Amino acid sequence: RVCCQCVQQMTYTEFYKAWHGQTENNIPEELQSQHLDYILEKIKTNNPNVRTIDIKTINQETNLDRLAKGIGNRILTKLISPINDVYDLEWCLKTENPNLALIFYGDDPRDSFIQLCQLISDFASIAIITDKPIEQPIQGFLPNQINLENALQTWLEKMVK
């Protein structure tokens, strides 16, 4: 019963550290990944206009139009017209999915990926979970950030206003 109460009041990271007697912020990478999956699933459940996308499969692409098509295929479920380039993605975000928030994770983004995110940032709120420094208007979050869930939720609340 005490454990259940702790789980409800503590973040995953706090509970993990307390359970394993850790005083430092280092959590094994495998558990960080499981923790991130849990956080992102919870964020999506509580925010219907959020799409979370693992960029590992498209991050190697350097052509912006092909990147746009890859992102479009992952975030837009009901397409009126196919996405063939950056402008198609912008149009779909603007007309079919206004107020959409995109959270990318899973890999440090390449420069071409960041460039595409900057191009579409007028049409969607964009965050990237990475150790790589990210410039505005894209929001960067550290994958091992202790309060990641709260930070993402606060960012989402600001984006809605």
Side-chain angles (χ1 to χ4, degrees), residues 6-139:
C6 288
V7 168
Q8 291 172 347
Q9 301 299 321
M10 299 170 78
T11 67
Y12 177 87
T13 305
E14 292 168 338
F15 183 79
Y16 178 89
K17 286 170 45 178
W19 185 263
H20 293 281
Q22 291 184 340
T23 56
E24 57 194 49
N25 291 338
N26 295 333
I27 296 176
E29 191 172 320
E30 180 181 316
L31 289 178
Q32 283 182 14
S33 175
Q34 292 171 0
H35 176 54
L36 182 58
D37 291 343
Y38 170 78
I39 288 174
L40 294 175
E41 193 59 41
K42 193 171 175 183
I43 292 284
K44 282 192 317 188
T45 301
N46 295 333
N47 302 279
N49 284 340
V50 171
R51 304 293 184 275
T52 60
I53 302 102
D54 186 342
I55 62 172
K56 283 181 188 168
T57 57
I58 58 173
N59 197 31
Q60 300 304 315
E61 183 60 61
T62 57
N63 179 287
L64 292 183
D65 291 333
R66 289 177 56 95
L67 266 173
K69 187 172 188 164
I71 290 173
N73 289 340
R74 286 161 178 78
I75 62 173
L76 304 171
T77 54
K78 300 174 186 173
L79 292 176
I80 295 172
S81 59
I83 294 175
N84 295 310
D85 57 30
V86 176
Y87 302 108
D88 289 345
L89 179 59
E90 288 176 346
W91 183 84
C92 286
L93 290 171
K94 182 179 179 179
T95 59
E96 296 182 33
N97 284 343
N99 302 319
L100 192 63
L102 307 175
I103 302 174
F104 297 105
Y105 68 99
D107 202 0
D108 284 332
R110 291 177 167 242
D111 292 341
S112 54
F113 185 86
I114 292 172
Q115 183 181 2
L116 177 64
C117 288
Q118 289 169 336
L119 289 171
I120 64 172
S121 64
D122 286 342
F123 307 101
S125 300
I126 300 173
I128 302 175
I129 300 172
T130 178
D131 289 318
K132 185 175 184 174
I134 301 294
E135 294 181 17
Q136 296 290 332
I138 304 164
Q139 180 66 51

